[in-house]
Structure formats: structure tokens, C-alpha cells
Amino acid sequence: IRDYKVTGVQTCALPISFASLPPRWGMAAWFAFKVALCAASIVLLLRLTPPTPIWGLYAVLALALRPVVGDLLHGNVNLWVLFWIVVAIGSVQRGRDAAAGLSLSLAIASKLTPALLLVYLVWKRAWRPAAATAIGLSVWLLAAPSLIVGPSANLAMLRDWSRHMVEPYLLEGQVDTEQVNQSLPAVWHRLVTASPAVRP
């Protein structure tokens, strides 16, 4: 988004972003970037796991192909989030608590579901990476965006996001169960209730 207006405040765009490119080039660059992130995630995962027979690797890649292709075709952020989760897990294994927290917090700031990993860190009493994640969230949700769009616009956008994405579920129990909603509550409702997944 080149210009974003929130409550009458026009904000500047990121000086270097996919959106600052012409539309076709921006989409192609985002696609290529996500292919590179996917490849990097696979390489990092192979380093984190014990040696696996080649047929096992092919089976895992075949099972992952559908979600990967879907993410690439729809322009979603899931491969971006996957990369940062893999980096966070690798950092935890190597005892790099700050890197783990900053990586996990970037994944959480991009999509809320990875916050389950923060719950896991707290449950395992891994206080240092959990604290680094909390600090990282303040960086990725407050400090960094405020430097680009300004503090008031950033807070207004966070309020709008919360009003549309969090409050309807938490306060009113509303869940949009159509297949485009990838949130955990939506998937759960699609699986265990008579909620529609596709509307004609």
C-alpha cells in the first residue's frame, strides 16, 4: 500500500518495499522472495532434524507441496512466517535467546498464530527467549512501524486491526468460518460445528 489514510492522517510508504515497485514487478518480486524463503526454511529444517532417509524427505516435501503452492499463488505471508519460526526454533536449540525471541516476535507480529509458541516457551519456563519475544513484539508492533508511519497512525491501525480481528471473537464470539479465514477458531468451528465453509 503506497499511501494509507487512518483517521485523516496520511502516512508515508516504506521507501523500500514490494509495494513501491510497479504492480507486476512487485508481485513477481514477492513471489521470488517467498520461494527463496521456502528453500531457506527447508535447508534450515534439514539442519535441525536428525538424518532422514531420502524417501522420507521426498514424502515430507510432497505433503508440503500443496500448502506451499497455495501460499505462493495467493500471495499470503505463511512462508514468511514459516521462515521466522524455523529461525526461532534453530536459535532456541543453539541457545541464542535474543535471536530466538526477535525471530519469533516477527512471526507473531506478521500472523497471530505463532503466539502459541510463546505460550510453549512460558510453559517450558524458557524465560529468556520468552522475554526476548516480548521485547521483540514491542519493536515490531510499536517502534518500527511508528518510525515509518508515525506513532499516532500506527496506534490507529493497531486499534482498527483489534476492532475487526480480535474484539468480534473475544467479546461477541463471532467467527467467520469461510475457508479464506485461516485462524485457529475458524478452522475449529469448520471442523466441529455445522458452520459453512463456502457460501454459494
Side-chain angles (χ1 to χ4, degrees), residues 4-86:
Y4 189 93
K5 294 184 180 180
V6 180
T7 60
V9 178
Q10 184 168 355
T11 64
C12 64
L14 285 167
I16 301 171
S17 70
F18 296 106
S20 65
L21 298 170
R24 288 182 184 168
W25 287 104
M27 291 185 311
W30 177 237
F31 184 92
F33 180 67
K34 291 200 311 175
V35 168
L37 287 177
C38 185
S41 298
I42 291 169
V43 170
L44 291 172
L45 283 170
L46 289 175
R47 291 182 182 170
L48 294 174
T49 56
T52 308
I54 193 69
W55 63 266
L57 296 176
Y58 286 137
V60 169
L61 290 174
L63 291 170
L65 188 61
R66 170 69 177 92
V68 167
V69 170
D71 185 78
L72 290 170
L73 293 178
H74 294 122
N76 293 338
V77 298
N78 297 323
L79 293 174
W80 163 265
V81 171
L82 170 69
F83 174 77
W84 291 112
I85 289 173
V86 171

Side-chain angles (χ1 to χ4, degrees), residues 88-113:
I89 292 170
S91 298
V92 166
Q93 282 190 347
R94 290 176 177 82
R96 298 177 181 163
D97 298 331
L102 288 174
S103 303
L104 181 56
S105 61
L106 185 52
I108 294 169
S110 302
K111 195 166 192 170
L112 195 55
T113 306

Side-chain angles (χ1 to χ4, degrees), residues 6 38 41 64 81-82 86-87 90 93 120 122 136 142 148 154 161 164-165 168 191 195 200:
V6 180
C38 185
S41 298
V81 171
L82 170 69
V86 171
V87 169
Q93 282 190 347
Y120 177 76
V122 171
L142 298 173
I148 296 166
N154 182 46
W161 175 82
H164 290 93
M165 299 297 292
L191 291 174
S195 305

